[in-house]
């Protein structure tokens, strides 16, 4: 199975971001013919101002970004995992991943569960919960016979979510992100590899890169594909690009057979009794 990861440097210009995403998707599909294409967190609009983020929000189904994604998936006959978008639902706003199948129909919607409320070592403060409501549902979808699990960015620090995705049959886990530069340098790769090893899945970590918000915030990039043994099998350079990896599902099955950790989890077994 071929998967393509699209690394972006999104700004507070939705039209330009969608144009960039379209060009990257067009090019990688033409050259690589993947079945699954993944965009990063907040690919359609990224700003430091909560009011601007809310203004960019859309209600699903419909809306400029939803329609764009549906059209791109159908045009290229791909499954398109659309990083995340600001969703407006009633009076609430969510950080939401949308997934569209090759017929252009929405097949999954995941609202980020763990919200990023931190102060970085440089003193930069992030308070996602001030403007975004957390999701409540663990979400998977299918690409052919393969089950794919959903997470977003800060979710990566909470292994219980990924164990639940594994319990639901996930063989691939997709994590769109806008990981900060400071935490990314120290934690991005090691966390992604840990989640892949624990769940014995292919882990697709797709990041924003470069600065935004007038240069006051920076994302780490380094989008990558990790195999079920924890080895990095592909990684992007530090600029806007798309790249492709081939996933060997036979290898995944052999890893799980030879090291059957899911069968050895005592707490998991106890929870069924």
């Amino acid at each position: 199975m071929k998967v393509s990861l699209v690394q972006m440097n999104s700004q507070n210009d939705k039209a330009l971001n969608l144009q960039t995403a379209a060009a990257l998707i067009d090019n990688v599909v033409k050259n690589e013919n993947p079945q699954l294409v993944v965009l990063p967190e907040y690919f359609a609009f990224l700003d430091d101002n909560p009011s601007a983020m809310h203004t960019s929000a859309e209600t699903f189904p419909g809306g400029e970004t939803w329609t764009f994604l549906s059209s791109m998936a159908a045009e290229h006959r791909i499954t398109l995992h659309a990083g995340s978008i600001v969703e407006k639902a009633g009076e609430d706003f969510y950080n939401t991943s949308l997934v569209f199948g090759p017929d252009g129909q929405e097949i999954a919607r995941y609202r980020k569960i763990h919200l990023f409320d931190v102060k970085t070592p440089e003193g930069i403060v992030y308070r996602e919960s001030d403007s975004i409501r957390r999701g409540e549902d663990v979400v998977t979808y299918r690409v052919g016979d393969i089950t794919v699990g959903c997470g977003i960015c800060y979710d990566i620090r909470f292994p219980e979510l990924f164990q639940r995705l594994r319990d639901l049959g996930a063989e691939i886990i997709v994590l769109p992100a806008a990981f900060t530069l400071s935490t990314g340098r120290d934690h991005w790769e090691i966390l992604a590899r840990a989640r892949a090893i624990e769940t014995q899945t292919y882990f697709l970590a797709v990041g924003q890169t470069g600065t935004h918000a007038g240069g006051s915030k920076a994302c780490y990039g380094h989008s990558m594909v990790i195999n079920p043994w924890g080895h990095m099998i592909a990684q992007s350079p530090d600029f806007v690009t798309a790249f492709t990896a081939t996933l060997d599902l036979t290898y995944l099955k052999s890893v799980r057979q030879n090291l059957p950790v899911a069968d050895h989890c005592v707490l998991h077994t106890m929870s069924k009794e």
Side-chain angles (χ1 to χ4, degrees):
M1 177 179 177
K2 275 190 172 182
V3 299
S4 294
L5 279 58
V6 177
Q7 181 169 277
M8 296 179 62
N9 175 228
S10 300
Q11 303 292 323
N12 56 1
D13 183 336
K14 184 182 288 188
L16 180 59
N17 294 332
L18 295 185
Q19 181 181 349
T20 300
L24 289 164
I25 294 168
D26 288 344
N27 186 62
V28 80
V29 170
K30 177 182 177 181
N31 291 322
E32 300 291 350
N33 193 29
Q35 290 106 313
L36 174 64
V37 177
V38 186
L39 296 165
E41 183 181 21
Y42 289 140
F43 81 94
F45 191 92
L46 183 59
D47 195 273
D48 190 40
N49 186 322
S51 178
M53 295 295 285
H54 284 179
T55 300
S56 79
E58 299 180 19
T59 300
F60 310 136
E64 179 183 6
T65 305
W66 191 98
T67 302
F68 162 80
L69 295 165
S70 174
S71 175
M72 291 296 292
E75 176 186 347
H76 292 297
R77 304 296 300 169
I78 56 173
T79 299
L80 180 56
H81 188 126
S84 78
I85 306 154
V86 185
E87 175 192 4
K88 190 176 191 302
E91 298 301 313
D92 294 320
F93 295 88
Y94 295 92
N95 184 348
T96 302
S97 289
L98 295 173
V99 185
F100 293 84
D103 59 358
Q105 296 298 307
E106 181 184 327
I107 60 173
R109 187 182 302 183
Y110 169 69
R111 292 168 168 171
K112 185 179 182 183
I113 292 174
H114 301 96
L115 302 183
F116 191 55
D117 291 356
V118 305
K119 183 176 181 180
T120 69
E122 293 81 11
I124 301 173
V125 175
Y126 295 83
R127 289 284 305 173
E128 191 174 24
S129 66
D130 285 350
S131 58
I132 296 292
R133 184 181 178 89
R134 77 173 187 87
E136 298 179 353
D137 297 324
V138 179
V139 175
T140 65
Y141 62 91
R142 305 275 288 181
V143 179
D145 295 330
I146 306 304
T147 300
V148 182
C150 299
I152 298 175
C153 202
Y154 191 51
D155 282 334
I156 199 173
R157 295 183 181 276
F158 301 90
E160 60 272 17
L161 169 61
F162 300 95
Q163 289 299 330
R164 178 61 179 149
L165 290 170
R166 166 66 193 267
D167 291 345
L168 292 173
E171 295 161 288
I172 299 169
I173 294 175
V174 175
L175 186 101
F179 228 73
T180 69
L181 183 62
S182 58
T183 57
R185 280 192 291 245
D186 293 335
H187 297 161
W188 174 243
E189 180 180 333
I190 196 168
L191 285 170
R193 295 181 67 186
R195 299 295 86 85
I197 293 166
E198 292 165 352
T199 58
Q200 298 178 314
T201 61
Y202 280 98
F203 198 90
L204 281 50
V206 190
Q208 292 275 2
T209 189
T211 63
H212 62 280
S216 65
K217 300 282 178 76
C219 294
Y220 184 60
H222 292 76
S223 301
M224 56 192 168
V225 179
I226 310 295
N227 75 12
W229 196 250
H231 291 165
M232 187 187 302
I233 61 173
Q235 186 175 47
S236 69
D238 284 336
F239 49 77
V240 173
T241 188
F243 67 101
T244 301
T246 300
L247 312 187
D248 183 349
L249 281 306
T250 300
Y251 174 71
L252 181 146
K253 289 177 173 59
S254 71
V255 168
R256 292 184 173 186
Q257 180 178 357
N258 295 334
L259 187 63
V261 292
D263 297 334
H264 298 159
C265 181
V266 175
L267 293 178
H268 180 72
T269 303
M270 290 171 62
S271 69
K272 292 182 176 181
E273 295 177 351

